[in-house]
Amino acid sequence: DSGVTQTPKHLITATGQRVTLRCSPRSGDLSVYWYQQSLDQGLQFLIQYYNGEERAKGNILERFSAQQFPDLHSELNLSSLELGDSALYFCASSVAPQGAGTEAFFGQGTRLTVV
Amino acid sequence: GNSVTQMEGPVTLSEEAFLTINCTYTATGYPSLFWYVQYPGEGLQLLLKATKADDKGSNKGFEATYRKETTSFHLEKGSVQVSDSAVYFCDLGDNFNKFYFGSGTKLNVKP
């Protein structure tokens, strides 16, 4: 168990809908990352937060947004969903911000299926 | 900028064969290097890491050496088992706590 909790584990929704994915980081970790993993297995970095502030942005679509709350949990909001958004969405956390050698701890992921 | 390139898969080996998965990186500064493993249906978990040049990370029979002169961090194991079948990700972590993952290499080990 990595200590990172993601809910829900599975989500099936229709095109055009909006969903919210939730992540609770490991106790003490201030940094949260979101990744999208498609069927061809690659990990696409979406966004990073540190202590409530956006730290880095990757290839995140404008239809997607995220935030990190004062209690450090994070939510990823996906709207106007398309079939191509079907993927595994991973959250990871790490001790932040400084220090090389700090690994990321991953949750089990949320499998989103858009039908 | 920072980036990681790892060999494409899938890699298919027989049990007890020698494994090498190549990983090379481009980086500014002094990054740390990691290998993560993803077993079917699970999230990624850290396999090993190295924080400076010439460091060797090792775990569960896997090894990788941080080679600055060749900008490489190749993953090796002397004798693979069926239970090693998974996807392996090479990763670079910079000094600002950003991570750069390779595209993943799927390993299939046949009995």
Side-chain angles (χ1 to χ4, degrees), chain A residues 33 35 37 41 43 48 56 90 94-97 100-104 106-108, chain B residues 32 34 36 38 42-44 46 49 51 89 95-99 101 103-104 106:
Chain A
Y33 311 78
Y35 294 88
Q37 186 175 40
Q41 90 198 13
L43 269 180
Q48 177 195 3
F90 284 107
S94 71
V95 170
T102 303
E103 69 251 38
F106 281 77
Q108 298 277 42
Chain B
S32 294
F34 308 84
Y36 285 82
Q38 183 181 27
E42 298 185 11
L44 281 72
L46 180 69
K49 69 178 184 182
T51 58
F89 291 90
N95 288 328
F96 300 96
N97 217 232
K98 287 184 68 176
F99 296 98
F101 282 89
S103 55
K106 186 170 185 177

PDB file of all heavy atoms in Angstrom, chain A residues 33 35 37 41 43 48 56 90 94-97 100-104 106-108, chain B residues 32 34 36 38 42-44 46 49 51 89 95-99 101 103-104 106:
ATOM      1  N   TYR A  33       0.608  14.962  -8.042  1.00  0.00           N
ATOM      2  CA  TYR A  33       0.737  14.921  -9.498  1.00  0.00           C
ATOM      3  C   TYR A  33      -0.431  14.118 -10.065  1.00  0.00           C
ATOM      4  O   TYR A  33      -0.851  13.133  -9.464  1.00  0.00           O
ATOM      5  CB  TYR A  33       2.031  14.211  -9.915  1.00  0.00           C
ATOM      6  CG  TYR A  33       3.281  14.691  -9.213  1.00  0.00           C
ATOM      7  CD1 TYR A  33       3.580  14.281  -7.914  1.00  0.00           C
ATOM      8  CD2 TYR A  33       4.170  15.541  -9.857  1.00  0.00           C
ATOM      9  CE1 TYR A  33       4.735  14.707  -7.283  1.00  0.00           C
ATOM     10  CE2 TYR A  33       5.328  15.966  -9.222  1.00  0.00           C
ATOM     11  CZ  TYR A  33       5.601  15.539  -7.932  1.00  0.00           C
ATOM     12  OH  TYR A  33       6.739  15.974  -7.304  1.00  0.00           O
ATOM     13  N   TYR A  35      -1.560  12.008 -13.612  1.00  0.00           N
ATOM     14  CA  TYR A  35      -1.103  11.423 -14.864  1.00  0.00           C
ATOM     15  C   TYR A  35      -2.267  10.706 -15.535  1.00  0.00           C
ATOM     16  O   TYR A  35      -3.161  10.172 -14.875  1.00  0.00           O
ATOM     17  CB  TYR A  35       0.006  10.389 -14.635  1.00  0.00           C
ATOM     18  CG  TYR A  35       1.300  10.956 -14.105  1.00  0.00           C
ATOM     19  CD1 TYR A  35       1.508  11.101 -12.740  1.00  0.00           C
ATOM     20  CD2 TYR A  35       2.319  11.333 -14.980  1.00  0.00           C
ATOM     21  CE1 TYR A  35       2.703  11.613 -12.254  1.00  0.00           C
ATOM     22  CE2 TYR A  35       3.513  11.838 -14.499  1.00  0.00           C
ATOM     23  CZ  TYR A  35       3.693  11.970 -13.137  1.00  0.00           C
ATOM     24  OH  TYR A  35       4.879  12.483 -12.671  1.00  0.00           O
ATOM     25  N   GLN A  37      -2.944   7.563 -18.197  1.00  0.00           N
ATOM     26  CA  GLN A  37      -2.312   6.432 -18.862  1.00  0.00           C
ATOM     27  C   GLN A  37      -3.301   5.834 -19.845  1.00  0.00           C
ATOM     28  O   GLN A  37      -4.341   5.306 -19.479  1.00  0.00           O
ATOM     29  CB  GLN A  37      -1.868   5.360 -17.874  1.00  0.00           C
ATOM     30  CG  GLN A  37      -1.081   4.222 -18.526  1.00  0.00           C
ATOM     31  CD  GLN A  37      -0.538   3.228 -17.536  1.00  0.00           C
ATOM     32  OE1 GLN A  37      -1.212   2.873 -16.577  1.00  0.00           O
ATOM     33  NE2 GLN A  37       0.682   2.765 -17.755  1.00  0.00           N
ATOM     34  N   GLN A  41      -0.206   2.343 -22.867  1.00  0.00           N
ATOM     35  CA  GLN A  41       0.579   2.276 -21.633  1.00  0.00           C
ATOM     36  C   GLN A  41       1.399   3.501 -21.274  1.00  0.00           C
ATOM     37  O   GLN A  41       1.900   3.582 -20.165  1.00  0.00           O
ATOM     38  CB  GLN A  41       1.495   1.048 -21.619  1.00  0.00           C
ATOM     39  CG  GLN A  41       2.895   1.230 -22.212  1.00  0.00           C
ATOM     40  CD  GLN A  41       3.543  -0.083 -22.550  1.00  0.00           C
ATOM     41  OE1 GLN A  41       2.903  -1.129 -22.585  1.00  0.00           O
ATOM     42  NE2 GLN A  41       4.818  -0.048 -22.820  1.00  0.00           N
ATOM     43  N   LEU A  43       2.606   7.097 -19.943  1.00  0.00           N
ATOM     44  CA  LEU A  43       2.157   7.985 -18.879  1.00  0.00           C
ATOM     45  C   LEU A  43       2.249   9.414 -19.350  1.00  0.00           C
ATOM     46  O   LEU A  43       3.322   9.881 -19.707  1.00  0.00           O
ATOM     47  CB  LEU A  43       3.060   7.838 -17.653  1.00  0.00           C
ATOM     48  CG  LEU A  43       2.706   6.843 -16.581  1.00  0.00           C
ATOM     49  CD1 LEU A  43       3.751   6.886 -15.491  1.00  0.00           C
ATOM     50  CD2 LEU A  43       1.338   7.128 -15.990  1.00  0.00           C
ATOM     51  N   GLN A  48       0.767  19.342 -11.735  1.00  0.00           N
ATOM     52  CA  GLN A  48       1.359  19.163 -10.416  1.00  0.00           C
ATOM     53  C   GLN A  48       0.938  20.300  -9.501  1.00  0.00           C
ATOM     54  O   GLN A  48       0.918  21.461  -9.916  1.00  0.00           O
ATOM     55  CB  GLN A  48       2.884  19.136 -10.505  1.00  0.00           C
ATOM     56  CG  GLN A  48       3.594  19.022  -9.157  1.00  0.00           C
ATOM     57  CD  GLN A  48       5.079  19.360  -9.230  1.00  0.00           C
ATOM     58  OE1 GLN A  48       5.585  19.733 -10.285  1.00  0.00           O
ATOM     59  NE2 GLN A  48       5.771  19.240  -8.120  1.00  0.00           N
ATOM     60  N   ALA A  56       3.302  22.933 -11.886  1.00  0.00           N
ATOM     61  CA  ALA A  56       3.713  22.634 -13.259  1.00  0.00           C
ATOM     62  C   ALA A  56       2.519  22.081 -14.017  1.00  0.00           C
ATOM     63  O   ALA A  56       1.637  21.451 -13.451  1.00  0.00           O
ATOM     64  CB  ALA A  56       4.852  21.620 -13.286  1.00  0.00           C
ATOM     65  N   PHE A  90      -3.951   8.409 -12.864  1.00  0.00           N
ATOM     66  CA  PHE A  90      -3.172   8.159 -11.650  1.00  0.00           C
ATOM     67  C   PHE A  90      -2.878   9.467 -10.935  1.00  0.00           C
ATOM     68  O   PHE A  90      -2.581  10.487 -11.553  1.00  0.00           O
ATOM     69  CB  PHE A  90      -1.836   7.489 -11.975  1.00  0.00           C
ATOM     70  CG  PHE A  90      -1.943   6.043 -12.310  1.00  0.00           C
ATOM     71  CD1 PHE A  90      -1.788   5.611 -13.612  1.00  0.00           C
ATOM     72  CD2 PHE A  90      -2.201   5.111 -11.324  1.00  0.00           C
ATOM     73  CE1 PHE A  90      -1.888   4.271 -13.930  1.00  0.00           C
ATOM     74  CE2 PHE A  90      -2.298   3.759 -11.637  1.00  0.00           C
ATOM     75  CZ  PHE A  90      -2.142   3.347 -12.941  1.00  0.00           C
ATOM     76  N   SER A  94       4.488  13.230  -3.423  1.00  0.00           N
ATOM     77  CA  SER A  94       5.877  13.167  -2.973  1.00  0.00           C
ATOM     78  C   SER A  94       6.121  14.244  -1.933  1.00  0.00           C
ATOM     79  O   SER A  94       5.375  15.224  -1.844  1.00  0.00           O
ATOM     80  CB  SER A  94       6.848  13.350  -4.142  1.00  0.00           C
ATOM     81  OG  SER A  94       6.841  14.669  -4.610  1.00  0.00           O
ATOM     82  N   VAL A  95       7.191  14.032  -1.172  1.00  0.00           N
ATOM     83  CA  VAL A  95       7.653  15.074  -0.268  1.00  0.00           C
ATOM     84  C   VAL A  95       8.201  16.193  -1.146  1.00  0.00           C
ATOM     85  O   VAL A  95       8.920  15.946  -2.100  1.00  0.00           O
ATOM     86  CB  VAL A  95       8.747  14.529   0.652  1.00  0.00           C
ATOM     87  CG1 VAL A  95       9.416  15.642   1.421  1.00  0.00           C
ATOM     88  CG2 VAL A  95       8.176  13.495   1.594  1.00  0.00           C
ATOM     89  N   ALA A  96       7.880  17.408  -0.817  1.00  0.00           N
ATOM     90  CA  ALA A  96       8.236  18.489  -1.729  1.00  0.00           C
ATOM     91  C   ALA A  96       8.650  19.712  -0.921  1.00  0.00           C
ATOM     92  O   ALA A  96       8.366  19.799   0.265  1.00  0.00           O
ATOM     93  CB  ALA A  96       7.063  18.812  -2.630  1.00  0.00           C
ATOM     94  N   PRO A  97       9.243  20.728  -1.529  1.00  0.00           N
ATOM     95  CA  PRO A  97       9.532  20.799  -2.947  1.00  0.00           C
ATOM     96  C   PRO A  97      10.970  20.459  -3.292  1.00  0.00           C
ATOM     97  O   PRO A  97      11.260  20.070  -4.396  1.00  0.00           O
ATOM     98  CB  PRO A  97       9.273  22.264  -3.271  1.00  0.00           C
ATOM     99  CG  PRO A  97       9.652  22.985  -2.014  1.00  0.00           C
ATOM    100  CD  PRO A  97       9.375  22.053  -0.865  1.00  0.00           C
ATOM    101  N   ALA A 100      16.579  16.275  -4.564  1.00  0.00           N
ATOM    102  CA  ALA A 100      16.666  15.191  -5.525  1.00  0.00           C
ATOM    103  C   ALA A 100      16.634  13.875  -4.764  1.00  0.00           C
ATOM    104  O   ALA A 100      16.985  13.815  -3.585  1.00  0.00           O
ATOM    105  CB  ALA A 100      17.940  15.317  -6.325  1.00  0.00           C
ATOM    106  N   GLY A 101      16.222  12.847  -5.425  1.00  0.00           N
ATOM    107  CA  GLY A 101      16.183  11.547  -4.769  1.00  0.00           C
ATOM    108  C   GLY A 101      14.846  11.217  -4.163  1.00  0.00           C
ATOM    109  O   GLY A 101      14.646  10.141  -3.623  1.00  0.00           O
ATOM    110  N   THR A 102      13.918  12.166  -4.233  1.00  0.00           N
ATOM    111  CA  THR A 102      12.600  11.927  -3.658  1.00  0.00           C
ATOM    112  C   THR A 102      11.713  11.229  -4.663  1.00  0.00           C
ATOM    113  O   THR A 102      11.443  11.761  -5.729  1.00  0.00           O
ATOM    114  CB  THR A 102      11.959  13.273  -3.277  1.00  0.00           C
ATOM    115  OG1 THR A 102      12.824  13.951  -2.377  1.00  0.00           O
ATOM    116  CG2 THR A 102      10.615  13.040  -2.623  1.00  0.00           C
ATOM    117  N   GLU A 103      11.244  10.043  -4.313  1.00  0.00           N
ATOM    118  CA  GLU A 103      10.421   9.332  -5.280  1.00  0.00           C
ATOM    119  C   GLU A 103       8.963   9.745  -5.164  1.00  0.00           C
ATOM    120  O   GLU A 103       8.551  10.362  -4.188  1.00  0.00           O
ATOM    121  CB  GLU A 103      10.529   7.819  -5.085  1.00  0.00           C
ATOM    122  CG  GLU A 103       9.893   7.309  -3.807  1.00  0.00           C
ATOM    123  CD  GLU A 103      10.925   6.852  -2.816  1.00  0.00           C
ATOM    124  OE1 GLU A 103      11.987   7.506  -2.733  1.00  0.00           O
ATOM    125  OE2 GLU A 103      10.661   5.843  -2.153  1.00  0.00           O
ATOM    126  N   ALA A 104       8.205   9.370  -6.184  1.00  0.00           N
ATOM    127  CA  ALA A 104       6.766   9.591  -6.187  1.00  0.00           C
ATOM    128  C   ALA A 104       6.073   8.305  -5.777  1.00  0.00           C
ATOM    129  O   ALA A 104       6.522   7.214  -6.101  1.00  0.00           O
ATOM    130  CB  ALA A 104       6.303  10.023  -7.576  1.00  0.00           C
ATOM    131  N   PHE A 106       2.498   6.294  -5.973  1.00  0.00           N
ATOM    132  CA  PHE A 106       1.325   6.295  -6.839  1.00  0.00           C
ATOM    133  C   PHE A 106       0.125   5.626  -6.189  1.00  0.00           C
ATOM    134  O   PHE A 106       0.271   4.621  -5.471  1.00  0.00           O
ATOM    135  CB  PHE A 106       1.635   5.558  -8.141  1.00  0.00           C
ATOM    136  CG  PHE A 106       2.406   6.366  -9.131  1.00  0.00           C
ATOM    137  CD1 PHE A 106       3.770   6.572  -8.967  1.00  0.00           C
ATOM    138  CD2 PHE A 106       1.770   6.948 -10.210  1.00  0.00           C
ATOM    139  CE1 PHE A 106       4.492   7.333  -9.868  1.00  0.00           C
ATOM    140  CE2 PHE A 106       2.492   7.718 -11.133  1.00  0.00           C
ATOM    141  CZ  PHE A 106       3.842   7.906 -10.952  1.00  0.00           C
ATOM    142  N   GLY A 107      -1.049   6.159  -6.478  1.00  0.00           N
ATOM    143  CA  GLY A 107      -2.274   5.495  -6.121  1.00  0.00           C
ATOM    144  C   GLY A 107      -2.564   4.377  -7.100  1.00  0.00           C
ATOM    145  O   GLY A 107      -1.822   4.160  -8.065  1.00  0.00           O
ATOM    146  N   GLN A 108      -3.678   3.680  -6.859  1.00  0.00           N
ATOM    147  CA  GLN A 108      -4.048   2.540  -7.703  1.00  0.00           C
ATOM    148  C   GLN A 108      -4.725   2.971  -8.997  1.00  0.00           C
ATOM    149  O   GLN A 108      -4.937   2.151  -9.877  1.00  0.00           O
ATOM    150  CB  GLN A 108      -4.982   1.598  -6.933  1.00  0.00           C
ATOM    151  CG  GLN A 108      -4.359   0.986  -5.705  1.00  0.00           C
ATOM    152  CD  GLN A 108      -3.526  -0.240  -6.040  1.00  0.00           C
ATOM    153  OE1 GLN A 108      -2.788  -0.273  -7.009  1.00  0.00           O
ATOM    154  NE2 GLN A 108      -3.634  -1.262  -5.226  1.00  0.00           N
TER     155      GLN A 108
ATOM    156  N   SER B  32      17.965  12.934 -10.205  1.00  0.00           N
ATOM    157  CA  SER B  32      17.936  11.562  -9.698  1.00  0.00           C
ATOM    158  C   SER B  32      17.252  10.700 -10.747  1.00  0.00           C
ATOM    159  O   SER B  32      16.438  11.184 -11.539  1.00  0.00           O
ATOM    160  CB  SER B  32      17.153  11.495  -8.388  1.00  0.00           C
ATOM    161  OG  SER B  32      17.830  12.206  -7.382  1.00  0.00           O
ATOM    162  N   PHE B  34      15.233   6.909 -11.544  1.00  0.00           N
ATOM    163  CA  PHE B  34      14.396   5.894 -10.902  1.00  0.00           C
ATOM    164  C   PHE B  34      13.938   4.874 -11.947  1.00  0.00           C
ATOM    165  O   PHE B  34      13.801   5.184 -13.126  1.00  0.00           O
ATOM    166  CB  PHE B  34      13.121   6.527 -10.311  1.00  0.00           C
ATOM    167  CG  PHE B  34      13.347   7.702  -9.409  1.00  0.00           C
ATOM    168  CD1 PHE B  34      13.501   8.977  -9.918  1.00  0.00           C
ATOM    169  CD2 PHE B  34      13.378   7.531  -8.037  1.00  0.00           C
ATOM    170  CE1 PHE B  34      13.699  10.070  -9.085  1.00  0.00           C
ATOM    171  CE2 PHE B  34      13.564   8.606  -7.193  1.00  0.00           C
ATOM    172  CZ  PHE B  34      13.722   9.879  -7.711  1.00  0.00           C
ATOM    173  N   TYR B  36      10.515   2.462 -12.087  1.00  0.00           N
ATOM    174  CA  TYR B  36       9.251   2.059 -11.485  1.00  0.00           C
ATOM    175  C   TYR B  36       8.744   0.824 -12.219  1.00  0.00           C
ATOM    176  O   TYR B  36       9.004   0.631 -13.406  1.00  0.00           O
ATOM    177  CB  TYR B  36       8.207   3.173 -11.620  1.00  0.00           C
ATOM    178  CG  TYR B  36       8.414   4.336 -10.693  1.00  0.00           C
ATOM    179  CD1 TYR B  36       9.309   5.345 -11.006  1.00  0.00           C
ATOM    180  CD2 TYR B  36       7.712   4.433  -9.496  1.00  0.00           C
ATOM    181  CE1 TYR B  36       9.507   6.421 -10.152  1.00  0.00           C
ATOM    182  CE2 TYR B  36       7.897   5.499  -8.636  1.00  0.00           C
ATOM    183  CZ  TYR B  36       8.802   6.495  -8.978  1.00  0.00           C
ATOM    184  OH  TYR B  36       8.986   7.551  -8.125  1.00  0.00           O
ATOM    185  N   GLN B  38       5.127  -1.495 -12.947  1.00  0.00           N
ATOM    186  CA  GLN B  38       3.664  -1.538 -12.872  1.00  0.00           C
ATOM    187  C   GLN B  38       3.209  -2.953 -13.205  1.00  0.00           C
ATOM    188  O   GLN B  38       3.307  -3.394 -14.354  1.00  0.00           O
ATOM    189  CB  GLN B  38       3.047  -0.535 -13.847  1.00  0.00           C
ATOM    190  CG  GLN B  38       1.530  -0.473 -13.760  1.00  0.00           C
ATOM    191  CD  GLN B  38       0.916   0.504 -14.745  1.00  0.00           C
ATOM    192  OE1 GLN B  38       1.481   0.786 -15.802  1.00  0.00           O
ATOM    193  NE2 GLN B  38      -0.236   1.055 -14.407  1.00  0.00           N
ATOM    194  N   GLU B  42      -2.368  -2.645 -11.495  1.00  0.00           N
ATOM    195  CA  GLU B  42      -1.921  -1.894 -10.327  1.00  0.00           C
ATOM    196  C   GLU B  42      -1.307  -0.559 -10.723  1.00  0.00           C
ATOM    197  O   GLU B  42      -1.072  -0.286 -11.894  1.00  0.00           O
ATOM    198  CB  GLU B  42      -0.891  -2.715  -9.538  1.00  0.00           C
ATOM    199  CG  GLU B  42      -1.447  -4.017  -9.000  1.00  0.00           C
ATOM    200  CD  GLU B  42      -0.452  -4.744  -8.115  1.00  0.00           C
ATOM    201  OE1 GLU B  42       0.574  -4.153  -7.748  1.00  0.00           O
ATOM    202  OE2 GLU B  42      -0.712  -5.916  -7.815  1.00  0.00           O
ATOM    203  N   GLY B  43      -1.043   0.267  -9.698  1.00  0.00           N
ATOM    204  CA  GLY B  43      -0.333   1.516  -9.927  1.00  0.00           C
ATOM    205  C   GLY B  43       1.165   1.269 -10.000  1.00  0.00           C
ATOM    206  O   GLY B  43       1.640   0.158  -9.811  1.00  0.00           O
ATOM    207  N   LEU B  44       1.904   2.331 -10.284  1.00  0.00           N
ATOM    208  CA  LEU B  44       3.360   2.218 -10.350  1.00  0.00           C
ATOM    209  C   LEU B  44       3.929   2.156  -8.945  1.00  0.00           C
ATOM    210  O   LEU B  44       3.425   2.794  -8.021  1.00  0.00           O
ATOM    211  CB  LEU B  44       3.960   3.433 -11.062  1.00  0.00           C
ATOM    212  CG  LEU B  44       3.894   3.458 -12.583  1.00  0.00           C
ATOM    213  CD1 LEU B  44       2.479   3.700 -13.073  1.00  0.00           C
ATOM    214  CD2 LEU B  44       4.840   4.521 -13.126  1.00  0.00           C
ATOM    215  N   LEU B  46       7.902   2.102  -6.891  1.00  0.00           N
ATOM    216  CA  LEU B  46       9.331   2.283  -7.060  1.00  0.00           C
ATOM    217  C   LEU B  46      10.050   0.947  -7.003  1.00  0.00           C
ATOM    218  O   LEU B  46       9.831   0.140  -6.102  1.00  0.00           O
ATOM    219  CB  LEU B  46       9.865   3.196  -5.962  1.00  0.00           C
ATOM    220  CG  LEU B  46      11.360   3.470  -6.018  1.00  0.00           C
ATOM    221  CD1 LEU B  46      11.680   4.344  -7.239  1.00  0.00           C
ATOM    222  CD2 LEU B  46      11.827   4.166  -4.741  1.00  0.00           C
ATOM    223  N   LYS B  49      16.396   3.252  -7.233  1.00  0.00           N
ATOM    224  CA  LYS B  49      16.736   4.618  -7.583  1.00  0.00           C
ATOM    225  C   LYS B  49      18.229   4.859  -7.378  1.00  0.00           C
ATOM    226  O   LYS B  49      18.904   4.099  -6.674  1.00  0.00           O
ATOM    227  CB  LYS B  49      15.930   5.607  -6.750  1.00  0.00           C
ATOM    228  CG  LYS B  49      16.312   5.643  -5.277  1.00  0.00           C
ATOM    229  CD  LYS B  49      15.478   6.699  -4.539  1.00  0.00           C
ATOM    230  CE  LYS B  49      15.904   6.811  -3.085  1.00  0.00           C
ATOM    231  NZ  LYS B  49      15.061   7.798  -2.340  1.00  0.00           N
ATOM    232  N   THR B  51      20.790   8.505  -6.913  1.00  0.00           N
ATOM    233  CA  THR B  51      20.691   9.948  -6.769  1.00  0.00           C
ATOM    234  C   THR B  51      21.889  10.710  -7.311  1.00  0.00           C
ATOM    235  O   THR B  51      21.828  11.931  -7.430  1.00  0.00           O
ATOM    236  CB  THR B  51      20.492  10.328  -5.298  1.00  0.00           C
ATOM    237  OG1 THR B  51      21.596   9.813  -4.549  1.00  0.00           O
ATOM    238  CG2 THR B  51      19.198   9.748  -4.761  1.00  0.00           C
ATOM    239  N   PHE B  89       9.081   1.449 -16.083  1.00  0.00           N
ATOM    240  CA  PHE B  89       9.209   2.861 -16.466  1.00  0.00           C
ATOM    241  C   PHE B  89      10.498   3.436 -15.913  1.00  0.00           C
ATOM    242  O   PHE B  89      10.761   3.344 -14.703  1.00  0.00           O
ATOM    243  CB  PHE B  89       8.040   3.684 -15.908  1.00  0.00           C
ATOM    244  CG  PHE B  89       6.712   3.393 -16.540  1.00  0.00           C
ATOM    245  CD1 PHE B  89       5.883   2.413 -16.023  1.00  0.00           C
ATOM    246  CD2 PHE B  89       6.279   4.112 -17.645  1.00  0.00           C
ATOM    247  CE1 PHE B  89       4.653   2.151 -16.597  1.00  0.00           C
ATOM    248  CE2 PHE B  89       5.051   3.847 -18.227  1.00  0.00           C
ATOM    249  CZ  PHE B  89       4.238   2.867 -17.707  1.00  0.00           C
ATOM    250  N   ASN B  95      15.668  18.710  -9.666  1.00  0.00           N
ATOM    251  CA  ASN B  95      15.829  19.311  -8.338  1.00  0.00           C
ATOM    252  C   ASN B  95      14.640  20.171  -7.923  1.00  0.00           C
ATOM    253  O   ASN B  95      14.647  20.755  -6.841  1.00  0.00           O
ATOM    254  CB  ASN B  95      17.108  20.145  -8.296  1.00  0.00           C
ATOM    255  CG  ASN B  95      18.332  19.267  -8.290  1.00  0.00           C
ATOM    256  OD1 ASN B  95      18.314  18.171  -7.751  1.00  0.00           O
ATOM    257  ND2 ASN B  95      19.398  19.720  -8.934  1.00  0.00           N
ATOM    258  N   PHE B  96      13.653  20.252  -8.808  1.00  0.00           N
ATOM    259  CA  PHE B  96      12.448  20.995  -8.479  1.00  0.00           C
ATOM    260  C   PHE B  96      11.269  20.047  -8.293  1.00  0.00           C
ATOM    261  O   PHE B  96      10.125  20.453  -8.403  1.00  0.00           O
ATOM    262  CB  PHE B  96      12.156  22.019  -9.577  1.00  0.00           C
ATOM    263  CG  PHE B  96      13.286  22.995  -9.739  1.00  0.00           C
ATOM    264  CD1 PHE B  96      14.256  22.787 -10.705  1.00  0.00           C
ATOM    265  CD2 PHE B  96      13.397  24.099  -8.911  1.00  0.00           C
ATOM    266  CE1 PHE B  96      15.319  23.671 -10.848  1.00  0.00           C
ATOM    267  CE2 PHE B  96      14.443  24.990  -9.049  1.00  0.00           C
ATOM    268  CZ  PHE B  96      15.407  24.773 -10.015  1.00  0.00           C
ATOM    269  N   ASN B  97      11.606  18.796  -8.056  1.00  0.00           N
ATOM    270  CA  ASN B  97      10.594  17.797  -7.759  1.00  0.00           C
ATOM    271  C   ASN B  97       9.648  17.554  -8.926  1.00  0.00           C
ATOM    272  O   ASN B  97       8.469  17.261  -8.729  1.00  0.00           O
ATOM    273  CB  ASN B  97       9.810  18.203  -6.511  1.00  0.00           C
ATOM    274  CG  ASN B  97       9.452  17.001  -5.678  1.00  0.00           C
ATOM    275  OD1 ASN B  97       8.311  16.802  -5.322  1.00  0.00           O
ATOM    276  ND2 ASN B  97      10.425  16.170  -5.375  1.00  0.00           N
ATOM    277  N   LYS B  98      10.128  17.720 -10.126  1.00  0.00           N
ATOM    278  CA  LYS B  98       9.357  17.357 -11.308  1.00  0.00           C
ATOM    279  C   LYS B  98       9.878  16.023 -11.819  1.00  0.00           C
ATOM    280  O   LYS B  98      11.078  15.743 -11.746  1.00  0.00           O
ATOM    281  CB  LYS B  98       9.488  18.412 -12.399  1.00  0.00           C
ATOM    282  CG  LYS B  98       8.725  19.688 -12.106  1.00  0.00           C
ATOM    283  CD  LYS B  98       8.822  20.657 -13.261  1.00  0.00           C
ATOM    284  CE  LYS B  98       8.099  20.167 -14.491  1.00  0.00           C
ATOM    285  NZ  LYS B  98       8.118  21.154 -15.588  1.00  0.00           N
ATOM    286  N   PHE B  99       8.981  15.221 -12.349  1.00  0.00           N
ATOM    287  CA  PHE B  99       9.337  13.891 -12.816  1.00  0.00           C
ATOM    288  C   PHE B  99       9.092  13.773 -14.315  1.00  0.00           C
ATOM    289  O   PHE B  99       8.114  14.289 -14.841  1.00  0.00           O
ATOM    290  CB  PHE B  99       8.502  12.836 -12.081  1.00  0.00           C
ATOM    291  CG  PHE B  99       8.780  12.786 -10.607  1.00  0.00           C
ATOM    292  CD1 PHE B  99       7.954  13.451  -9.715  1.00  0.00           C
ATOM    293  CD2 PHE B  99       9.866  12.095 -10.119  1.00  0.00           C
ATOM    294  CE1 PHE B  99       8.209  13.411  -8.358  1.00  0.00           C
ATOM    295  CE2 PHE B  99      10.128  12.052  -8.760  1.00  0.00           C
ATOM    296  CZ  PHE B  99       9.301  12.717  -7.877  1.00  0.00           C
ATOM    297  N   PHE B 101       8.875  10.790 -17.064  1.00  0.00           N
ATOM    298  CA  PHE B 101       8.803   9.349 -17.262  1.00  0.00           C
ATOM    299  C   PHE B 101       9.063   8.967 -18.714  1.00  0.00           C
ATOM    300  O   PHE B 101       8.650   9.672 -19.638  1.00  0.00           O
ATOM    301  CB  PHE B 101       7.420   8.827 -16.867  1.00  0.00           C
ATOM    302  CG  PHE B 101       7.227   8.697 -15.384  1.00  0.00           C
ATOM    303  CD1 PHE B 101       6.746   9.760 -14.640  1.00  0.00           C
ATOM    304  CD2 PHE B 101       7.536   7.516 -14.738  1.00  0.00           C
ATOM    305  CE1 PHE B 101       6.571   9.641 -13.266  1.00  0.00           C
ATOM    306  CE2 PHE B 101       7.364   7.380 -13.372  1.00  0.00           C
ATOM    307  CZ  PHE B 101       6.880   8.452 -12.627  1.00  0.00           C
ATOM    308  N   SER B 103       8.400   6.079 -21.778  1.00  0.00           N
ATOM    309  CA  SER B 103       7.128   5.585 -22.305  1.00  0.00           C
ATOM    310  C   SER B 103       6.758   4.196 -21.807  1.00  0.00           C
ATOM    311  O   SER B 103       5.672   3.708 -22.088  1.00  0.00           O
ATOM    312  CB  SER B 103       7.172   5.569 -23.832  1.00  0.00           C
ATOM    313  OG  SER B 103       8.287   4.812 -24.264  1.00  0.00           O
ATOM    314  N   GLY B 104       7.653   3.557 -21.059  1.00  0.00           N
ATOM    315  CA  GLY B 104       7.345   2.240 -20.512  1.00  0.00           C
ATOM    316  C   GLY B 104       7.774   1.121 -21.432  1.00  0.00           C
ATOM    317  O   GLY B 104       7.686   1.234 -22.658  1.00  0.00           O
ATOM    318  N   LYS B 106       7.148  -3.022 -21.787  1.00  0.00           N
ATOM    319  CA  LYS B 106       6.431  -4.192 -21.273  1.00  0.00           C
ATOM    320  C   LYS B 106       7.334  -5.416 -21.357  1.00  0.00           C
ATOM    321  O   LYS B 106       7.920  -5.692 -22.413  1.00  0.00           O
ATOM    322  CB  LYS B 106       5.158  -4.431 -22.079  1.00  0.00           C
ATOM    323  CG  LYS B 106       4.288  -5.547 -21.518  1.00  0.00           C
ATOM    324  CD  LYS B 106       2.931  -5.584 -22.188  1.00  0.00           C
ATOM    325  CE  LYS B 106       2.030  -6.615 -21.531  1.00  0.00           C
ATOM    326  NZ  LYS B 106       0.684  -6.630 -22.116  1.00  0.00           N
TER     327      LYS B 106
END
